[in-house]
């Protein structure tokens, strides 16, 4: 069975090497950069093979798909990275370690309410629409500080940083803008906002994202190959 997934072994080897080389090139420690396997449309047995190779962080985009596969996964940390409706929070609140796509007080408040109900504090990232694209979620950069201020008043969520999906063109410019935003917020030392995670960079731009300070790269196609996203 495992031989069928040998392409994952090679892809992961290349990704790890690219992360090491990019970190060295830009004066960073590769140990400070986590590799997330994005599992959208990927069968659990292939995901489990990646886990057997040392992948310890999975990224889920869709609530329904995650619920259908979660029971088949080998033990690994799971974070939610996709757009999230408030009425779906209840389905994932107990099983994910972080929700990366918080872009409104309404969503943050529902996560807070349900986390309190389950006796936990949920780690979150604020998703930023750094390119101002209508097709993407995320808070506008000029509204980010206000949102963070509102979210820090909620007791059962913990802001750990920022997430973004920059436009595919001019990604260097937008990755640089995200780094500036992130660093500014870190320097501000906002009470209740522990700015440790900068989640940006996917298959096509993760080495560039490392240049601009990303601490978590989200890789799907580069690890598992092209998938049928119409599923």
């Amino acid at each position: 069975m495992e031989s069928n997934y040998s392409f994952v072994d090679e892809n992961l080897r290349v990704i790890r090497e690219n992360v090491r080389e990019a970190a060295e090139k830009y004066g960073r420690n590769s140990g400070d950069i986590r590799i997330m396997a994005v599992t959208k449309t990927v069968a659990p047995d292939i995901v489990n093979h990646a886990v057997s190779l040392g992948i310890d962080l999975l990224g889920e985009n869709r609530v329904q798909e995650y619920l259908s596969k979660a029971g088949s996964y080998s033990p690994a940390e799971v974070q939610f990275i996709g757009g999230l409706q408030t009425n779906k929070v209840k389905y994932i609140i107990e099983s994910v370690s972080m929700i990366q796509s918080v872009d409104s007080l309404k969503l943050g408040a529902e996560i807070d309410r349900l986390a309190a109900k389950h006796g936990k504090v949920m780690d979150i990232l604020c998703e930023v629409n750094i390119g101002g694209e209508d097709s993407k979620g995320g808070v506008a950069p000029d509204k980010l500080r206000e949102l963070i201020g509102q979210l820090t008043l909620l007791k059962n969520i913990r802001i750990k940083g920022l997430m973004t999906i920059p436009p595919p063109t001019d990604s260097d410019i937008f990755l640089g803008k995200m780094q500036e935003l992130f660093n500014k917020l870190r320097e501000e030392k906002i009470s209740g906002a522990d700015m440790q995670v900068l989640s940006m960079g996917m298959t096509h731009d993760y080495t560039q994202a490392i240049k601009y300070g990303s601490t978590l790269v989200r890789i799907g196609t580069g690890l598992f190959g092209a998938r049928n996203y119409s599923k």
Side-chain angles (χ1 to χ4, degrees):
M1 177 72 77
E2 288 193 359
S3 62
N4 295 336
Y5 307 137
S6 58
F7 66 94
V8 176
D9 300 53
E10 176 59 16
N11 288 346
L12 183 55
R13 185 194 68 76
V14 170
I15 291 163
R16 284 171 168 160
E17 184 60 27
N18 287 344
V19 168
R20 278 194 296 270
E21 289 180 357
E24 183 177 346
K25 180 177 180 180
Y26 300 117
R28 300 188 58 201
N29 181 350
S30 62
D32 294 335
I33 303 158
R34 291 192 80 181
I35 298 170
M36 168 185 279
V38 177
T39 55
K40 184 176 174 182
T41 77
V42 181
D45 51 348
I46 304 179
V47 174
N48 290 341
H49 182 68
V51 172
S52 77
L53 300 174
I55 284 290
D56 61 359
L57 180 60
L58 309 180
E60 290 285 334
N61 289 80
R62 297 169 174 167
V63 172
Q64 212 56 43
E65 181 186 350
Y66 169 52
L67 295 176
S68 73
K69 299 194 300 187
S72 303
Y73 282 160
S74 296
E77 181 182 353
V78 179
Q79 298 182 3
F80 194 81
I81 60 174
L84 183 60
Q85 296 173 309
T86 54
N87 65 351
K88 298 289 182 68
V89 175
K90 61 188 176 186
Y91 298 116
I92 66 170
I93 193 72
E94 289 188 274
S95 59
V96 302
S97 65
M98 178 181 282
I99 296 173
Q100 293 201 12
S101 47
V102 178
D103 60 1
S104 70
L105 178 58
K106 180 183 176 183
L107 177 57
E110 180 64 1
I111 294 168
D112 176 73
R113 184 184 73 82
L114 289 168
K117 183 178 177 181
H118 290 281
K120 68 184 294 186
V121 177
M122 176 60 74
D123 287 344
I124 67 165
L125 302 183
C126 289
E127 181 177 1
V128 182
N129 189 341
I130 194 64
E133 297 172 279
D134 292 337
S135 61
K136 291 178 182 172
V139 62
D142 62 349
K143 302 291 186 184
L144 174 62
R145 180 60 180 83
E146 178 186 5
L147 176 61
I148 288 175
Q150 294 169 331
L151 293 172
T152 58
L153 300 177
L154 302 174
K155 303 302 183 188
N156 287 83
I157 62 173
R158 184 165 42 213
I159 302 171
K160 300 297 289 184
L162 306 179
M163 184 268 264
T164 197
I165 306 172
T169 56
D170 296 322
S171 62
D172 253 42
I173 294 171
F174 293 108
L175 291 167
K177 287 182 176 180
M178 276 301 298
Q179 183 180 37
E180 289 175 14
L181 266 180
F182 182 71
N183 288 342
K184 183 178 179 182
L185 290 166
R186 286 189 76 172
E187 289 164 10
E188 197 175 336
K189 293 183 168 60
I190 303 164
S191 177
D194 180 23
M195 289 286 157
Q196 295 297 319
V197 180
L198 179 54
S199 171
M200 63 182 190
M202 300 187 291
T203 293
H204 65 286
D205 65 354
Y206 68 93
T207 57
Q208 290 170 282
I210 290 169
K211 175 182 178 181
Y212 291 103
S214 176
T215 67
L216 190 159
V217 293
R218 311 181 306 268
I219 303 177
T221 301
L223 179 60
F224 297 117
R227 285 101 76 202
N228 179 8
Y229 285 110
S230 65
K231 287 182 182 177

